[in-house]
Amino acid sequence: MATEANGYPITSRPFSRKAFVSGMAAIGAGLALSACGGQQTPTTTSTPAATTDSALPTDTEKQVDEVWNTTFNSAYPHGNEGMGCVALAMHNGEVVFQKAYGYAHYYEPDYSADGSTYANPTYKKIDNPVPMELDTLFDLASVTKVMATTQSIILLVDQKKLSVDDKVADYLPGFEQNDKGNITIAQLLTHSSGLPQWEPTYLYCTTRAEQLDYIKQLSLMPEFKTDGSEPMYSDFSFMTLGFVVEAITSQPMEQFVLENVYEPLGMSSTGYRPLDRGVDPSKIAATSLGNPYEYRMVDEKDYPGVGYDCTKDAEAFEKFTGWRRQALIGETNDGNAAMGGEGVAGHAGLYSTAADLGVLLQCMLDGGEHDRTKLYSKDTIKLFTERHTTYAENHDGEDSSDFGYGFKLKQSWMGETATISCFGHDGFTGTSAFADPDNNYVFVCLSNKMQAGFREPDSGLYYNTNKTLSLEMNKVLRNALNI
C-alpha cells in the first residue's frame, strides 16, 4: 500500500480488461483508514492504465487525487467529508484511469438533535463508514434518461418499431387530452413538448398505472416553445417515454432494457431496484437523508421559491405521510420514481457502476457493437447524438442547452475542449457520463454528494460535483492524453 503525503491511502492492483468488459471491476481488497486532522479520511482504490497506447504520465494519478482532496475544502464547510466518488476514463477503447474515493455511506439523520427537522436534518456519522469501491452502485438520477430510456428508444427506432416522428398518443390512448395529441416522440426526446417540467406526482400516485393516468391529464405550458428553439428540461417527457416503451414492447421498461441492452453487454451491475435484485446494501452508495430538498420544493409555506411552484399541491402536501426518513440506500432518491413510480421511471431510478457505463458508452463509440454483440446501427447512433434543437441560434451561439435525442451535447462539465459531437448526461445525485467521438474518449464520474449534506445547513443546496469535481478530474485526464 502506498500513502500519499496528504494522508490518503491508495491501494492498487493490476487491471483485468476481461473483468471490466463483463462489467465487474477489479476491487482492491486491502482498503485502509488513515487519520488526517484528527478525523478518519476517505480511502481510495485505483486501477493502473491497461494499455501503452494511451498510457498516462506518471503524475496523472496524483493530479486527480489533488482534485479530490481540494475541490470542496476551500469552498464548503464540510469539505468532502462523508461523500465519495468513482472516476473512470477510457481512451481508444481501453480503460486508462479508474479510481474510487471516499465513502459510500457515512451519515444517517439524527432527528432527535436540537434544531433537527425533516427539511434540515442533523447529520450523524455512523459507527462504521462504508468505503467507496470500484464496483459500488450509484443512483444515477437523470443519467437514467440516456442509459435506460433513450437506449430503449434507440433500439425500437433501429428495429423500425418506432419513429421519432410518431405521435405519442398513438401509443398511449388518452394522452391526447388537453391539446397534447400532436406531441411527437422527438419533442419528448428534445424537451420541446410543452409538458410541465416537474410536479410532485407522489402526492397523488403510488403506482405506475396511477402515474400514467396523471401524465395523461397534464396540460401543456402555453409559455413553452415546442419548435426546439428553447428546450425546457422536463422529467415528464422521459416518464412518458418510459410508458411508450412499455406500450410497444408489452414488457416493463426495466425488463426490456435489461434483456436487450445490459445483459447482452455484460452490464451485470446495472438495473432498477437493486435491493430487489439481491444487491447487498453495502455495495450501494447512499444518497440523501430522506428527501429534504424535495420536501422544501413542495412546502410553499415555509420554503417558498424552492424549485417549481407547487402552490396548487398545498392540500395534498399537508395530507402526505410517505416521506422517507432514513439515508437512502438502494431506493432511488427521486421522489416521483421511488414514491410515485414503484422505483422505476423513464427519468430516474437506474443504478449502475462507472465500469458498466463505460461499456455502454464505448459500445456507442464503436458503432453499436461490443464483443460480437450488435445492439443498433451506426446510422441510428448518429441520429440520436446529433443536434436536434436550435438553442444556439437563438442565444448568440451559446449551445450548452442544445440536445440530441435524449442526450445533452457539449456541456460545460464536459470540459473546454468538448465539441458539439460530445454527448452524455448528468444527474442530480452527483453523477455524470459522456463520450467524445472525436477523440474516442469516455469519462464517467459518479458521486454521492448528498451524503456530505447541504453546502450550508440552511441553504438546502447540495454540492455541485458536475461543474467542479467531475469537470476538474476530466480536465486533468484530457490534458494527460493531449485531447
Side-chain angles (χ1 to χ4, degrees):
M1 174 180 294
T3 303
E4 300 298 338
N6 56 27
Y8 283 66
I10 296 174
T11 303
S12 301
R13 60 179 54 226
F15 176 75
S16 166
R17 174 66 177 162
K18 181 178 181 181
F20 174 78
V21 169
S22 66
M24 299 298 292
I27 306 301
L31 300 179
L33 293 175
S34 172
C36 180
Q39 297 178 338
Q40 286 184 319
T41 59
T43 59
T44 61
T45 61
S46 65
T47 300
T51 172
T52 56
D53 293 337
S54 298
L56 300 174
T58 56
D59 64 342
T60 302
E61 185 174 2
K62 289 184 178 181
Q63 292 183 49
V64 180
D65 291 348
E66 185 67 11
V67 171
W68 167 256
N69 294 334
T70 62
T71 293
F72 300 111
N73 289 348
S74 62
Y76 306 122
H78 299 209
N80 55 22
E81 184 182 2
M83 64 180 286
C85 81
V86 176
L88 175 143
M90 299 179 67
H91 190 223
N92 295 330
E94 297 290 344
V95 173
V96 295
F97 184 89
Q98 186 177 202
K99 189 162 184 175
Y101 296 86
Y103 293 99
H105 182 200
Y106 195 85
Y107 288 118
E108 284 285 346
D110 182 2
Y111 296 113
S112 64
D114 290 342
S116 182
T117 65
Y118 188 82
N120 189 23
T122 295
Y123 280 61
K124 182 179 180 180
K125 181 181 174 182
I126 63 177
D127 292 337
N128 297 295
V130 180
M132 192 70 75
E133 299 189 32
L134 296 179
D135 64 347
T136 297
L137 274 68
F138 287 81
D139 178 348
L140 298 184
S142 285
V143 177
T144 300
K145 291 179 171 73
V146 297
M147 297 301 182
T149 312
T150 301
Q151 295 296 324
S152 300
I153 298 294
I154 293 174
L155 279 171
L156 295 174
V157 169
D158 195 66
Q159 297 167 0
K160 302 190 184 309
K161 296 179 180 178
L162 174 69
S163 167
V164 295
D165 297 322
D166 289 346
K167 294 181 179 179
V168 178
D170 291 342
Y171 300 99
L172 301 177
F175 183 81
E176 68 278 0
Q177 296 178 65
N178 300 321
D179 299 319
K180 300 194 300 295
N182 288 324
I183 292 177
T184 65
I185 300 298
Q187 287 176 309
L188 295 181
L189 287 166
T190 56
H191 298 277
S192 303
S193 67
L195 289 174
Q197 294 180 278
W198 183 89
E199 292 180 10
T201 68
Y202 51 82
L203 298 182
Y204 310 95
C205 308
T206 58
T207 67
R208 301 197 69 219
E210 292 174 349
Q211 210 166 52
L212 176 57
D213 286 340
Y214 186 102
I215 290 172
K216 289 179 179 180
Q217 296 170 35
L218 287 172
S219 296
L220 296 176
M221 304 295 289
E223 67 272 28
F224 289 0
K225 296 180 180 180
T226 58
D227 59 359
S229 64
E230 195 82 28
M232 296 300 290
Y233 188 81
S234 170
D235 280 354
F236 280 121
S237 288
F238 277 77
M239 293 166 73
T240 303
L241 285 168
F243 289 117
V244 170
V245 171
E246 295 188 340
I248 295 173
T249 64
S250 299
Q251 282 185 284
M253 190 187 74
E254 69 271 25
Q255 191 66 26
F256 176 78
V257 71
L258 176 70
E259 293 178 357
N260 291 276
V261 178
Y262 309 146
E263 287 181 347
L265 296 183
M267 297 169 61
S268 58
S269 296
T270 305
Y272 288 86
R273 295 187 293 214
L275 298 177
D276 290 351
R277 294 187 286 117
V279 178
D280 190 306
S282 68
K283 304 303 295 180
I284 306 172
T287 58
S288 60
L289 309 187
N291 279 109
Y293 184 78
E294 284 202 38
Y295 184 94
R296 293 172 182 236
M297 289 175 68
V298 185
D299 185 357
E300 295 288 353
K301 178 181 178 181
D302 293 330
Y303 298 96
V306 177
Y308 306 100
D309 184 1
C310 294
T311 304
K312 69 179 180 63
D313 304 300
E315 183 177 351
F317 168 68
E318 291 296 330
K319 294 180 179 179
F320 186 68
T321 60
W323 296 109
R324 298 170 291 176
R325 299 179 62 83
Q326 72 282 7
L328 302 181
I329 304 174
E331 49 179 309
T332 184
N333 171 264
D334 186 274
N336 281 337
M339 297 183 286
E342 303 173 280
V344 177
H347 73 293
L350 188 68
Y351 283 76
S352 189
T353 62
D356 271 9
L357 297 187
V359 169
L360 184 48
L361 286 172
Q362 189 62 50
C363 177
M364 295 190 70
L365 292 181
D366 291 341
E369 298 186 19
H370 175 77
D371 276 7
R372 301 179 184 177
T373 295
K374 185 172 182 63
L375 289 186
Y376 30 60
S377 69
K378 292 180 181 179
D379 288 343
T380 306
I381 294 171
K382 182 177 182 296
L383 173 67
F384 275 74
T385 58
E386 63 187 7
R387 188 165 67 110
H388 292 289
T389 55
T390 56
Y391 184 90
E393 287 85 339
N394 294 279
H395 294 82
D396 297 324
E398 172 59 49
D399 52 12
S400 63
S401 291
D402 271 320
F403 287 88
Y405 284 146
F407 295 97
K408 292 185 175 182
L409 308 177
K410 194 185 176 183
Q411 298 292 291
S412 60
W413 49 264
M414 295 177 184
E416 294 179 357
T417 61
T419 69
I420 198 66
S421 66
C422 293
F423 60 91
H425 216 286
D426 55 336
F428 184 68
T429 50
T431 56
S432 60
F434 79 94
D436 177 355
D438 295 335
N439 294 291
N440 198 5
Y441 173 76
V442 168
F443 181 73
V444 180
C445 185
L446 306 180
S447 82
N448 62 341
K449 66 178 185 180
M450 293 177 172
Q451 269 287 288
F454 295 138
R455 299 180 193 177
E456 299 285 353
D458 295 323
S459 72
L461 298 175
Y462 293 103
Y463 299 93
N464 187 330
T465 55
N466 297 329
K467 293 184 178 180
T468 51
L469 184 69
S470 176
L471 173 69
E472 294 302 324
M473 286 184 170
N474 172 51
K475 181 178 180 180
V476 169
L477 292 162
R478 277 184 172 270
N479 288 341
L481 293 166
N482 294 314
I483 59 174

